């Protein structure tokens, strides 16, 4: 199993920047790695990425030096484990609202004694069982696999004091989109009350000595960096939109100047 450079960077107290992709394109994932992003969120919850097509995306990630993290559609072991067996370096589990749900996510990701993930030591991350013992693989997987929990409802923020006490969680990630919806202002990520809830959550996470992550508009990233947030991601659609608009504006301005 490959060393999880994403976990290492977070443990060093540094910030990491990723990109969410909802469609199964290995070339695009490889390009993102070549461009220097730290990690990629392979989105099973909202996109067409599945267990069957995720393995090539993981290979493309590893080839280009970007950490592959999967967002499964639900916090269930039968959904989480197959992605890990195909080599994902971790999971970003959606809609986790209680300490019990946090423990369930860890239990699904980790092998004994940290959890109860079903052992298969002939999988790709285990080197197909061609070298090393099952015990060695289990210990390595437990050490390397990243567990990120998504806090997407007010309930999660209210229960955060107990959730940050759960062992085995690497990142607590506040999703501002769904949080705004749970507060009755869907899509208003910059709403003062949404921002207040996010700030409250980040404070609890950081004071507990845990890694905080957030989704937010790009212009708010400096604010959350100052609050101690380390884990961020944008999305491929926005990157394409931003760069395309800038390119077309520049080219059309040049065409006007040329009288064309």
């Amino acid at each position: 199993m490959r060393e999880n450079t994403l976990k290492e960077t977070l443990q060093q107290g540094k910030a990491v920047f990723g990109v969410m992709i909802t469609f199964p394109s290995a070339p695009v994932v490889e390009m993102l790695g070549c461009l220097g992003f730290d990690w990629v969120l392979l989105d099973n919850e909202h996109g067409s990425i599945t267990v069957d097509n995720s393995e090539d995306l993981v290979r493309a990630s590893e080839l280009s030096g970007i950490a592959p993290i999967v967002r499964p559609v639900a916090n269930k072991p039968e959904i989480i484990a197959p992605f890990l067996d195909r080599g994902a370096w971790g999971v970003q589990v959606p809609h986790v609202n209680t300490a019990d749900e946090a423990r369930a996510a860890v239990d699904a990701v980790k092998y004994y004694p940290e959890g109860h993930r079903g052992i298969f030591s002939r999988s790709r991350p285990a080197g197909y069982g061609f070298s090393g013992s099952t015990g060695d693989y289990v210990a390595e997987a437990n050490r390397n696999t990243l567990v990120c929990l998504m806090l997407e409802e007010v309930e999660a923020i209210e229960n955060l004091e107990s959730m940050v006490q759960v062992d085995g969680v690497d990142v607590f990630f506040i999703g501002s989109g769904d949080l705004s919806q749970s507060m009755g202002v869907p899509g208003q990520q910059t709403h003062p009350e949404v921002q207040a809830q996010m700030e409250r959550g980040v404070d609890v996470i950081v004071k507990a000595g845990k890694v905080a992550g957030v989704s937010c508009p790009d212009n708010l990233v400096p604010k959350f960096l100052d609050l101690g947030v380390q884990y961020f991601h944008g999305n491929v659609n926005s990157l394409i939109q931003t760069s395309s608009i800038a390119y077309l504006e520049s080219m059309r301005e040049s065409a006007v100047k040329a009288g064309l």
Side-chain angles (χ1 to χ4, degrees), residues 132-242:
S133 69
T134 299
D136 288 341
Y137 162 64
V138 164
E140 188 177 12
N142 278 353
R143 178 175 59 84
N144 266 316
T145 309
L146 180 139
V147 179
C148 173
L149 306 183
M150 298 194 70
L151 318 174
E152 302 181 89
E153 282 84 28
V154 174
E155 181 185 2
I157 306 300
E158 293 174 345
N159 290 327
L160 199 45
E161 294 279 2
S162 60
M163 292 172 70
V164 294
Q165 303 304 315
V166 175
D167 291 334
V169 180
D170 298 290
V171 181
F172 291 87
F173 183 93
I174 301 173
S176 60
D178 278 294
L179 179 62
S180 70
Q181 176 172 252
S182 79
M183 296 178 67
V185 287
Q188 298 183 46
Q189 295 168 285
T190 60
H191 191 288
E193 292 180 13
V194 175
Q195 289 295 303
Q197 285 283 15
M198 294 178 71
E199 292 166 18
R200 173 188 169 196
V202 167
D203 185 61
V204 172
I205 296 164
V206 172
K207 283 183 177 177
K210 305 293 185 177
V211 174
V214 301
S215 65
C216 66
D218 293 347
N219 66 311
L220 293 182
V221 169
K223 163 190 166 178
F224 283 105
L225 283 167
D226 287 342
L227 293 175
V229 176
Q230 296 175 243
Y231 185 93
F232 299 88
H233 73 72
N235 66 76
V236 167
N237 299 39
S238 293
L239 291 175
I240 293 173
Q241 179 184 21
T242 301

Side-chain angles (χ1 to χ4, degrees), residues 13-225:
K14 298 178 181 178
V16 295
F17 298 92
V19 185
M20 181 179 75
I21 185 170
T22 59
F23 50 89
S25 172
V28 170
V29 169
E30 189 175 0
M31 289 179 204
L32 294 171
C34 292
L35 285 167
F37 287 96
D38 300 299
W39 63 285
V40 60
L41 182 61
L42 307 176
D43 193 4
N44 169 242
E45 183 186 16
H46 294 300
S48 54
I49 292 172
T50 66
V51 171
D52 289 341
N53 59 41
S54 65
E55 196 163 328
D56 283 342
L57 304 179
V58 170
R59 287 194 182 94
S61 301
E62 293 176 343
L63 179 65
S64 59
I66 188 170
I69 306 299
V70 168
R71 173 158 63 178
V73 71
N75 184 11
K76 295 182 178 181
E78 64 270 25
I79 293 173
I80 291 171
F83 286 107
L84 298 176
D85 284 340
R86 277 144 183 89
W89 291 15
V91 290
Q92 187 160 314
V93 184
H95 303 290
V96 179
N97 290 313
T98 67
D100 283 344
E101 290 174 359
R103 279 187 284 270
V106 174
D107 195 62
V109 170
K110 302 292 185 177
Y111 294 115
Y112 178 87
E114 298 173 41
H116 293 88
R117 175 182 165 193
I119 290 180
F120 179 51
S121 57
R122 291 281 180 178
S123 61
R124 181 176 175 274
Y128 301 103
F130 295 153
S131 63
S133 69
T134 299
D136 288 341
Y137 162 64
V138 164
E140 188 177 12
N142 278 353
R143 178 175 59 84
N144 266 316
T145 309
L146 180 139
V147 179
C148 173
L149 306 183
M150 298 194 70
L151 318 174
E152 302 181 89
E153 282 84 28
V154 174
E155 181 185 2
I157 306 300
E158 293 174 345
N159 290 327
L160 199 45
E161 294 279 2
S162 60
M163 292 172 70
V164 294
Q165 303 304 315
V166 175
D167 291 334
V169 180
D170 298 290
V171 181
F172 291 87
F173 183 93
I174 301 173
S176 60
D178 278 294
L179 179 62
S180 70
Q181 176 172 252
S182 79
M183 296 178 67
V185 287
Q188 298 183 46
Q189 295 168 285
T190 60
H191 191 288
E193 292 180 13
V194 175
Q195 289 295 303
Q197 285 283 15
M198 294 178 71
E199 292 166 18
R200 173 188 169 196
V202 167
D203 185 61
V204 172
I205 296 164
V206 172
K207 283 183 177 177
K210 305 293 185 177
V211 174
V214 301
S215 65
C216 66
D218 293 347
N219 66 311
L220 293 182
V221 169
K223 163 190 166 178
F224 283 105
L225 283 167

